[in-house]
Amino acid sequence: MLAPNLNAAEATSNAQVIAHRRTLWRWHFYAGLFVMPLLIVLAITGTIYCFQPQIEPLLYRDRMVVTDTHGPQLSREVLLAKAAANEPRGAVPTLAQIEADRTRSAEFVFRLPSGESESVYVNPYDGAVLGTLSVEHRLMKQVRNLHRGLMLGKTGELVMELAGCWTLVMIGTGIALWWPSRSNARQGGVWLPRLSLQGRAWWRDLHAVGGVWLAIGALFFVLSGLPWSGSWGKQFKALATSASLGYPKGAWGEAHVHSTAPGAAGKPGDEHAMHGMQMKMDDLPLQQTPWAVGATNLPDSAHAPAPAARVSIDDVVALAAKNGVTDDYGIALPAKPSGVYTVSYFPADPRDERTLHIDQYSGRVLSDIDYASYGGVAQWISYGTSLHMGRYFGLANQIVCSAISLGLAALAVTGFIMWMKRRPTRELGAPARPVKRAPMRAWRGGLTVLGMIFPLMGATMLAVWCLDRLAFGLRRAVA
């Protein structure tokens, strides 16, 4: 009398396992269908951009590299004047890039009358102009734009942000599908693929085992990249600021960081006007800006001071060196009479990050923001960014990042091959929905939380769920 009850219970349990697995497989399929093509783009562009320090000096050697004559170098002001003489009328200098390497040329960025910007390279020994490069159209800028937004502006940034969020779903469901039971753990294909298999089973083992080995790297890439995204990243910055976990104290106008010309007196209401419509650090033509200071206010004032002589770039370089900033940094030049010099140092070790605002008339340091000033969240993100870009451990970091990126691209290829081998002709080939709905309360709760943390993703998850019910609602697997 007990046997039929046991068989029924066992059948119910098996049906729940099948329903659970098919539901996970279905979500993994939808996530992969959207993410995999974008993952290939992210992997290739990320790998190329990771080696930017090596690629650009080779690609633009005639402009970036000079012969060290072991003689004295011309002053930065003289070199800037040489660069300016090479530019069309109306070009405005916006940035001086400082390199301590004596085999590198001096680089200055100008905003052209057309609105675009270009770098001018000058031999620091004889002042000869070596050539120019468009800031917007140089190779690494295009690679970065592809990586962050498919070169489609705001729309592309949102798509890439969604790709990152859906990668989290793909990782979670992928690990759950791989998770070994007692039976298949003995059969192999858990930590090493069974190369003796044939056909789709061989590809499945390669995909599953490779995915597990790469899961931690993929998760790190997503979590370290999302804070830089165009939509959620900006909201996250605001949240970190309000909770005193992101920006340093003084970032939102608590510090007096605007230049004052000698004898210039402020008028009543100037302070309020100064903070009304201010530019941010991210608006400056800097090559890189630390995440923690990207949205901090730039100095401005309502009334331009009387004309006055400003300190030279060489004085700013000397002042930066006195404060421990000596190599590979940018100096954003004052854009207005009330502006300041902004020194932005974005080194491989985030603990050395530094941002200095310097009065353009007196040379006084008005604001000094270092790593110790950051909130806890910003400090972690700084480390994540350095590792994400392959900078922290030098060449070893670049190789590890490239291996993970190209491995993820390989997963996209194996996933596509598996899909093509299984997909019926002229059909999407989504895994069939189980007859019995699996409880999966923990999974639904997790996806709900994920959708609340990433609202844009939550909206797309809801859209996918509705589309799945409407388009494929009648198709169910046999129990």
Side-chain angles (χ1 to χ4, degrees):
M1 295 296 292
L2 295 176
N5 291 334
L6 289 174
N7 290 337
E10 186 177 350
T12 301
S13 176
N14 289 337
Q16 287 182 345
V17 170
I18 293 173
H20 186 276
R21 185 172 182 80
R22 282 194 175 276
T23 302
L24 289 174
W25 187 13
R26 204 167 172 84
W27 277 100
H28 188 74
F29 172 81
Y30 288 136
L33 198 65
F34 169 62
V35 169
M36 288 305 187
L38 300 175
L39 198 59
I40 294 175
V41 175
L42 285 169
I44 294 174
T45 56
T47 300
I48 294 173
Y49 195 75
C50 190
F51 287 93
Q52 178 187 14
Q54 290 93 336
I55 293 175
E56 285 206 322
L58 290 175
L59 195 62
Y60 307 118
R61 185 176 181 84
D62 59 328
R63 280 156 280 193
M64 291 186 171
V65 180
V66 298
T67 301
D68 182 5
T69 65
H70 303 288
Q73 295 185 345
L74 300 174
S75 72
R76 297 283 171 178
E77 286 292 331
V78 170
L79 294 173
L80 176 59
K82 298 281 187 181
N86 184 75
E87 292 298 274
R89 181 186 296 272
V92 178
T94 58
L95 176 71
Q97 192 65 27
I98 308 301
E99 297 274 358
D101 188 347
R102 292 178 62 86
T103 64
R104 295 296 293 271
S105 60
E107 178 184 0
F108 300 96
V109 176
F110 288 80
R111 185 176 64 252
L112 303 177
S114 64
E116 294 191 347
S117 296
E118 74 174 8
S119 294
V120 180
Y121 298 90
V122 185
N123 189 314
Y125 299 101
D126 59 15
V129 175
L130 303 175
T132 63
L133 276 177
S134 169
V135 171
E136 290 83 4
H137 302 295
R138 65 197 299 170
L139 176 63
M140 284 302 163
K141 182 69 172 180
Q142 299 299 309
V143 169
R144 187 182 182 190
N145 287 341
L146 267 172
H147 188 77
R148 298 187 65 178
L150 299 171
M151 299 179 68
L152 297 176
K154 185 67 175 178
T155 301
E157 289 181 6
L158 293 177
V159 170
M160 285 308 205
E161 181 179 318
L162 277 174
C165 293
W166 275 94
T167 299
L168 298 176
V169 176
M170 192 172 62
I171 294 171
T173 54
I175 291 176
L177 289 168
W178 162 87
W179 197 266
S181 63
R182 291 181 180 178
S183 59
N184 63 22
R186 291 193 298 268
Q187 296 171 4
V190 177
W191 297 110
L192 291 174
R194 292 166 290 185
L195 301 178
S196 60
L197 296 177
Q198 299 292 326
R200 184 174 176 274
W202 185 86
W203 290 103
R204 183 188 61 215
D205 256 31
L206 201 63
H207 183 84
V209 175
V212 166
W213 282 106
L214 293 169
I216 294 178
L219 183 63
F220 170 76
F221 274 156
V222 172
L223 296 181
S224 59
L226 280 174
W228 293 88
S229 60
S231 176
W232 184 85
K234 289 183 178 179
Q235 298 301 320
F236 182 65
K237 281 185 180 182
L239 178 62
T241 300
S242 63
S244 300
L245 297 173
Y247 300 130
K249 185 177 181 181
W252 295 96
E254 296 169 19
H256 179 75
V257 288
H258 64 281
S259 292
T260 303
K267 297 182 179 180
D270 281 1
E271 184 178 354
H272 175 75
M274 183 183 72
H275 298 298
M277 292 183 64
Q278 288 184 310
M279 292 178 63
K280 309 293 183 183
M281 277 285 294
D282 281 336
D283 297 323
L284 292 176
L286 296 163
Q287 294 183 0
Q288 295 286 352
T289 302
W291 185 87
V293 297
T296 56
N297 289 333
L298 282 182
D300 201 355
S301 66
H303 299 277
R310 70 183 192 184
V311 298
S312 68
I313 298 178
D314 300 277
D315 294 330
V316 175
V317 170
L319 189 58
K322 184 178 178 181
N323 283 271
V325 181
T326 59
D327 185 25
D328 195 16
Y329 63 93
I331 302 177
L333 308 180
K336 299 178 182 180
S338 58
V340 297
Y341 287 103
T342 297
V343 173
S344 181
Y345 185 41
F346 190 59
D349 190 338
R351 292 171 297 182
D352 295 329
E353 288 181 6
R354 202 75 172 272
T355 302
L356 301 171
H357 294 300
I358 300 171
D359 189 296
Q360 65 169 306
Y361 304 109
S362 67
R364 184 167 62 94
V365 176
L366 302 174
S367 178
D368 182 355
I369 304 173
D370 59 8
Y371 177 82
S373 304
Y374 298 170
V377 169
Q379 290 183 344
W380 280 102
I381 289 175
S382 293
Y383 267 102
T385 299
S386 187
L387 290 166
H388 184 110
M389 296 177 66
R391 294 157 49 92
Y392 191 70
F393 294 112
L395 181 60
N397 199 163
Q398 292 175 309
I399 293 173
V400 170
C401 285
S402 300
I404 295 173
S405 294
L406 297 178
L408 292 173
L411 282 183
V413 173
T414 57
F416 176 78
I417 293 173
M418 289 166 57
W419 176 43
M420 295 304 294
K421 284 182 173 293
R422 183 181 57 83
R423 185 176 69 93
T425 305
R426 297 182 180 179
E427 289 188 21
L428 181 63
R433 187 186 304 120
V435 171
K436 192 172 249 187
R437 179 180 177 184
M440 302 182 67
R441 294 184 182 89
W443 279 99
R444 289 191 176 90
L447 289 176
T448 301
V449 171
L450 203 60
M452 293 172 64
I453 296 175
F454 304 105
L456 188 62
M457 182 197 176
T460 58
M461 281 196 299
L462 184 60
V464 169
W465 183 83
C466 292
L467 182 63
D468 180 59
R469 290 300 184 275
L470 293 174
F472 310 108
L474 300 177
R475 299 183 183 182
R476 290 183 176 270
V478 178

